[in-house]
Amino acid sequence: MAKIFSVFNQAGGVGKTTLSMNLGYELSQRGKRILLLDFDPQGSLTIFMGLEPESLSATIYDCLMKSYPTSAAILPSLHGMDLLPANIGLGMAEMELVVAPMRESKLKKVLTPILKSYDLILIDCLPSLGMLSYLSLVTSDCVLVPIDCEFKSYRGTDLLLQTVENVKGEANPDLSVFGFVPTKYSKAKTQHKRSLGAMNQYLSMIAPVFEPIPNAIAFADASEQGQPLATYDRRHEALKSIALLADQVCAELNQDLGALAHVQ
Ligand SMILES: Nc1ncnc2c1ncn2[C@@H]1O[C@H](COP(=O)(O)OP(=O)(O)O)[C@@H](O)[C@H]1O
Ligand SMILES: [Mg+2]
């Protein structure tokens, strides 16, 4: 039974999509069955995975708003993962959901039929605190929060954590923050070191602050080629921090397997 993780931060450009694809790939290499869900109308994840969003015949929008069968919209076996893609059409859902009945359960309804087929569903959220993000949080077990190491960018996390608390209080009491991932980290920049120090000081009380992902242009180069960094440059230094994060996620997924075995 899949765990569902939202890769979430209302700030744009912090590395959500890059992290979703590269973490998903690393986990798939460890034998985990991964579904990437592009939940951003910009379709960046769909593009990073090497596809042209506007040419797709079915996307998450069709599943969410038109009851299109989920399995029929999934694109299988892209770099060892499956992808439920998005395009600009998903932007309409943001408005349509405002008046939609039973909206809280809409994404859950889309994912329930396929939960058994995966170990992990990674939802690449859009940079907003709107309805689509809300739906993603309502449907998830955990939130993974990438934070840019630029000057005080961790400050926006107050609002983010408040949003998570609101969702926990209302619709999803089991939601937890899995951890924070500092991104685009440059050792050479003293300001980044200070940001990292502050994240460790303030955020580690809430959830683990994981190894920072180094600033590496190769991430952008790889996604431009429509592939994860590991297939683009398999010896790249930055892959080590992705692997350390994957260790933690694997431990979480395996813990559940252990609990299941115990029950049976
Ligand atoms: N660790 C990194 N080092 C350098 N560039 C990065 C890194 N992570 C992401 N990027 C680049 O930053 C930009 C924004 O990343 P993206 O993953 O699209 O962020 P988000 O999904 O939060 O908007 C992209 O051009 C991406 O290639
Ligand atoms: Mg993105």
Side-chain angles (χ1 to χ4, degrees), residues 233-253:
D233 179 357
R234 71 188 174 90
R235 293 188 197 286
H236 199 285
E237 191 69 11
L239 293 170
K240 286 183 190 158
S241 2
I242 303 278
L244 287 171
L245 179 58
D247 289 344
Q248 303 292 325
V249 178
C250 263
E252 172 78 12
L253 300 179

Side-chain angles (χ1 to χ4, degrees), residues 7 11-18 20 38 40 42-45 48 124-127:
V7 180
V14 298
K16 291 181 290 294
T17 304
T18 304
S20 302
D38 190 347
D40 183 345
Q42 289 187 21
S44 303
L45 180 59
F48 283 14
D124 180 31
C125 293
L126 72 168

Side-chain angles (χ1 to χ4, degrees), residues 7-9 13-16 18-19 144-150 153-154 157 178-187 191-201 203-204 207-216 219 238 241-242 244-245:
V7 180
F8 177 58
N9 188 330
V14 298
K16 291 181 290 294
T18 304
L19 185 64
L144 187 60
V145 185
I147 305 178
D148 193 315
C149 288
E150 280 305 307
S153 50
Y154 60 90
T157 42
F178 186 72
F180 303 95
V181 186
T183 59
K184 303 188 180 183
Y185 179 65
S186 294
K187 281 204 285 259
Q191 188 205 74
H192 282 200
K193 282 188 185 161
R194 283 199 298 276
S195 287
L196 196 58
M199 285 185 218
N200 278 310
Q201 188 178 350
L203 298 178
S204 59
V209 176
F210 297 118
E211 184 76 11
I213 313 280
N215 188 53
F219 277 114
S241 2
I242 303 278
L244 287 171
L245 179 58

Side-chain angles (χ1 to χ4, degrees), residues 19 24 33 35 38 50-51 70 72 83 101 107 122 139 170 181 188 195 209 212 218 221 234 239 245 249:
L19 185 64
R33 298 165 305 160
L35 175 70
D38 190 347
L51 297 157
T70 314
L83 173 71
L107 183 57
L122 275 172
T139 310
E170 286 165 17
V181 186
S195 287
V209 176
D221 293 340
R234 71 188 174 90
L239 293 170
L245 179 58
V249 178

Side-chain angles (χ1 to χ4, degrees), residues 3 42 56 67-68 88 117 124 158 181 185 211-212 235:
K3 275 230 157 190
Q42 289 187 21
L56 300 167
S67 305
Y68 193 85
I88 195 76
S117 309
D124 180 31
D158 283 356
V181 186
Y185 179 65
E211 184 76 11
R235 293 188 197 286

